[in-house]
Amino acid sequence: MTAAFDRTTVDDTGTVTPGKLADLVVDRDPFAGPPARIAATRVLQTFVGGERVHAAPDA
């Protein structure tokens, strides 16, 4: 059971999917290369409900 499911917000949180509450700004398209490279994708910024909650030091 996921944390989103526990909070009964599974419809708008819990996965990285269009329409969910968090948006990520990444340094490249994680799906453009081989699957083994997905984990090397850097998150530069994170927005939740339109507000920035994370920024990498060099972003």
Side-chain angles (χ1 to χ4, degrees):
M1 188 175 289
T2 67
F5 185 80
D6 290 344
R7 293 189 324 256
T8 65
T9 57
V10 72
D11 289 337
D12 53 5
T13 63
T15 61
V16 178
T17 321
K20 300 290 181 161
L21 289 178
D23 295 304
L24 307 175
V25 177
V26 295
D27 66 340
R28 63 191 174 88
D29 180 350
F31 304 108
R37 296 278 302 144
I38 292 173
T41 303
R42 290 186 54 234
V43 176
L44 302 176
Q45 298 182 66
T46 304
F47 293 82
V48 177
E51 293 188 39
R52 186 169 73 174
V53 296
H54 164 76
D58 58 343

